[in-house]
């Protein structure tokens, strides 16, 4: 770690959404010495767009007004009027209700979308340059006392260099090395899976070009268009000049996600699955037009996967967060939001970690509060995918039932009381500390 007079060193592995947001919070705590290690030499813009729901926004606000502002500076209003209410709109793409609006998710004033690359750039502006090292790919972790007999987490990078810290927080994405260390390489939940063999085909087009073919209502909002041979989704990006358009097809991809990037979605999947526009002739005209645009250029395609549930997110002085802990399918639009919730809880807990001996209590409290909720979101995202594909019983046949499902799910993900989540975590931390000082283990 860099030279410092501060008492607790925290190494964050991975400078993605989770790692940078967490660092932005922790760096404000004078008792912490925080350093981020990121494997890439710079973040590439791979054309991913995010429509962050209310819980993501609340988590950023808890991390600090500057974190929230960084997002606001990079995001675009989905609505044309700032005070116009806007939501992710779910439409039938096929069948007797083709073109009908089924439900709205996350309705709010000032709904925005943001490109992942822009959001990362915004968060990066909050991190002093000497607090992040790029081109450092973690390869190995072990814990051992240092020469003063103080327990340290030691770690090595693929270039052979080594570091140590009092605590290591792994925000290294879906193919996490930290997850592999915590669970063991051979644990059945360590590697991501693609149980239902989803393939997401995506393209990035100029918004003006898209509007020549697609009804305006699908290019200026975040629509999800349902159907049995694939659901379609668009996200306006880069201040409305580009449109990220995608078709997600169930049952055609290779079972395990592969790819160069550590993300819930690996860019350039290497999958041989192809999008076949002839399968969409019964979809409504704008849906067919989006499929044609995507078929013409699938260069921004993704192979998706998620994690089966980890039995714990932390052990001793090491924890995982974000996609490293709970990568989910992208269909509930809540992966980044859950990563930000993790960061908000850890940030809150570390405000009270004034001695290295308290790290384990904080990580145990983080695990107890965040694991059930984030794993429920992984399950929910799988269910969203099946509902979108008309593969969850007959729920798709009844617009009212479908609307109720989305309303309840949206309430669970988006309307959570995150202040209470932080308080619950702090109460567990204090219980753990009390238990430890009275001789009991902090981990129940
Ligand atoms: P990542 O963003 O993957 O970051 C991990 C970082 O760690 C990377 O920078 C990587 O280079 C680095 N790294 C990896 N391995 C190492 C190593 N060994 N050593 C050092 N560094 C390493 N979420 C939403 O909330 N709303 C949405 O609308 C939404 N839409 C989505 C649409 C799509 C198509 C997809 C695929 C996902 C979507 N998500 C959405 C999910 C969201 O993108 C992810 O959940 C989020 O990016 C996770 O952030 P993270 O920081 O945990 O992981």
């Amino acid at each position: 770690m860099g030279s410092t007079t501060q008492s607790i060193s925290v190494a964050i592995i991975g400078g993605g959404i989770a790692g940078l947001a967490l660092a932005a919070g922790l760096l404000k705590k004078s008792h912490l010495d925080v350093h981020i290690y990121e494997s890439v030499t710079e973040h590439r813009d791979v054309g991913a767009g995010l429509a962050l729901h209310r819980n993501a926004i609340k988590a950023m606000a808890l991390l600090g007004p500057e974190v929230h502002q960084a997002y606001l500076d990079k995001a675009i209003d989905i609505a044309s009027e700032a005070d116009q209410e806007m939501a992710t709109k779910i439409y039938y793409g096929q069948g007797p209700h083709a073109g009908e609006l089924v439900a709205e998710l996350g309705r709010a004033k000032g709904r925005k979308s943001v490109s992942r690359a822009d959001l990362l750039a915004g968060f990066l502006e909050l991190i002093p340059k000497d607090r992040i090292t790029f081109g450092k790919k973690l390869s190995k972790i072990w814990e051992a006392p240092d020469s003063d007999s103080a327990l340290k987490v030691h770690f090595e990078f693929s270039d052979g260099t080594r570091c140590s810290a009092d605590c290591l927080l792994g925000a290294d994405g879906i193919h996490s090395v930290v997850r592999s260390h915590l669970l063991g390489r051979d644990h059945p939940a360590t590697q991501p899976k693609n149980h239902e063999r989803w393939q997401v085909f995506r393209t990035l087009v100029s918004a003006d070009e898209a509007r020549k073919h697609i009804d305006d209502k699908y290019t200026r909002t975040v629509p999800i268009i349902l159907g049995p041979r694939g659901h379609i989704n668009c996200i306006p990006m880069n201040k409305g000049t580009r449109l990220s358009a995608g078709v997600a097809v169930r049952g055609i991809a290779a079972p395990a996600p592969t790819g160069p990037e550590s993300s819930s979605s690996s860019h350039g999947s290497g999958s041989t699955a192809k999008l076949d526009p002839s399968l969409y002739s019964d979809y409504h005209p704008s849906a067919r037009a989006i499929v044609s645009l995507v078929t013409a250029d699938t260069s921004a395609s993704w192979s998706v996967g998620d994690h089966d549930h980890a039995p714990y997110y932390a052990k001793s002085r090491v924890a995982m967060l974000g996609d490293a802990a709970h990568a989910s399918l992208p269909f509930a639009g809540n992966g980044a939001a859950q990563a930000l919730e993790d960061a908000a809880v850890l940030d809150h807990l570390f405000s009270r970690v004034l001695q290295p001996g308290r790290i384990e209590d904080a990580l145990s409290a983080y695990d107890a509060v965040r694991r059930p909720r984030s794993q429920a979101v992984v399950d929910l995202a799988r269910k969203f995918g099946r509902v979108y594909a008309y593969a969850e019983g007959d729920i798709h046949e009844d617009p009212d039932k479908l609307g109720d499902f989305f309303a309840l799910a949206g309430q669970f993900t988006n309307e959570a009381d995150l202040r209470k989540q932080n308080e619950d975590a702090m109460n567990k931390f204090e219980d753990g500390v009390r238990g430890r000082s009275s001789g009991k283990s902090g981990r129940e």
Side-chain angles (χ1 to χ4, degrees), residues 86-120:
M86 193 53 70
T88 297
K89 296 192 173 200
I90 302 180
Y91 297 91
Y92 279 109
Q94 182 269 5
H97 303 286
E100 281 177 25
L101 182 68
V102 186
E104 299 186 330
L105 295 179
R107 170 167 279 282
K109 279 186 187 167
R111 272 300 302 280
K112 293 169 191 293
S113 71
V114 66
S115 108
R116 178 176 176 271
D118 286 352
L119 184 62
L120 290 179

Side-chain angles (χ1 to χ4, degrees), residues 28-68:
K28 291 180 285 180
K29 298 175 181 30
S30 58
H31 62 287
L32 301 177
D33 171 22
V34 180
H35 201 97
I36 309 166
Y37 301 90
E38 165 55 52
S39 62
V40 299
T41 48
E42 62 176 332
H43 288 299
R44 285 188 301 147
D45 183 353
V46 293
L50 304 170
L52 295 178
H53 288 283
R54 202 193 298 263
N55 57 326
I57 317 298
K58 285 191 282 193
M60 285 187 280
L62 286 173
L63 284 159
E66 69 290 349
V67 178
H68 186 203

Side-chain angles (χ1 to χ4, degrees), residues 13-20 37-40 43 48-53 56 116 120 136-139 157 171-178 200 202 233 235 261-266 302 304 321-324 326-330 332-339:
I13 306 296
I17 290 171
L20 292 180
Y37 301 90
E38 165 55 52
S39 62
V40 299
H43 288 299
L50 304 170
L52 295 178
H53 288 283
R116 178 176 176 271
L120 290 179
K136 286 286 180 191
K137 186 171 172 52
L138 178 81
S139 56
F157 299 100
D172 51 341
I174 188 168
H175 302 289
S176 168
V177 172
V178 179
V200 179
R202 286 205 90 81
N233 161 242
I235 303 179
E261 286 238 329
S262 204
S263 153
S264 64
S265 41
S266 302
W302 303 94
V304 295
L321 68 149
D323 276 8
H326 44 72
S328 63
L329 295 173
N334 226 260
Q338 291 305 308

Side-chain angles (χ1 to χ4, degrees), residues 45-196:
D45 183 353
V46 293
L50 304 170
L52 295 178
H53 288 283
R54 202 193 298 263
N55 57 326
I57 317 298
K58 285 191 282 193
M60 285 187 280
L62 286 173
L63 284 159
E66 69 290 349
V67 178
H68 186 203
Q69 192 58 46
Y71 157 73
L72 291 176
D73 290 346
K74 301 292 179 185
I76 61 158
D77 288 327
I78 300 171
S80 49
E81 311 285 334
D83 64 349
Q84 189 180 334
E85 288 216 326
M86 193 53 70
T88 297
K89 296 192 173 200
I90 302 180
Y91 297 91
Y92 279 109
Q94 182 269 5
H97 303 286
E100 281 177 25
L101 182 68
V102 186
E104 299 186 330
L105 295 179
R107 170 167 279 282
K109 279 186 187 167
R111 272 300 302 280
K112 293 169 191 293
S113 71
V114 66
S115 108
R116 178 176 176 271
D118 286 352
L119 184 62
L120 290 179
F123 285 169
L124 208 48
E125 285 165 18
L126 304 174
I127 313 292
K129 285 196 168 32
D130 63 344
R131 295 301 177 140
I132 180 162
T133 310
F134 285 92
K136 286 286 180 191
K137 186 171 172 52
L138 178 81
S139 56
K140 194 169 142 192
I141 303 170
W142 68 102
E143 287 182 64
D146 66 6
S147 51
D148 300 327
S149 304
L151 181 65
K152 293 280 174 191
V153 185
H154 302 268
F155 44 104
E156 186 174 298
F157 299 100
S158 54
D159 61 8
T161 55
R162 292 181 168 188
C163 287
S164 64
D166 293 311
C167 171
L168 182 146
L169 302 175
D172 51 341
I174 188 168
H175 302 289
S176 168
V177 172
V178 179
R179 183 181 184 89
S180 193
H181 163 80
L182 284 170
L183 303 188
R185 284 175 71 88
D186 299 328
H187 189 283
T190 296
Q191 296 304 327
K193 309 222 171 56
N194 187 0
H195 290 291
E196 298 182 36

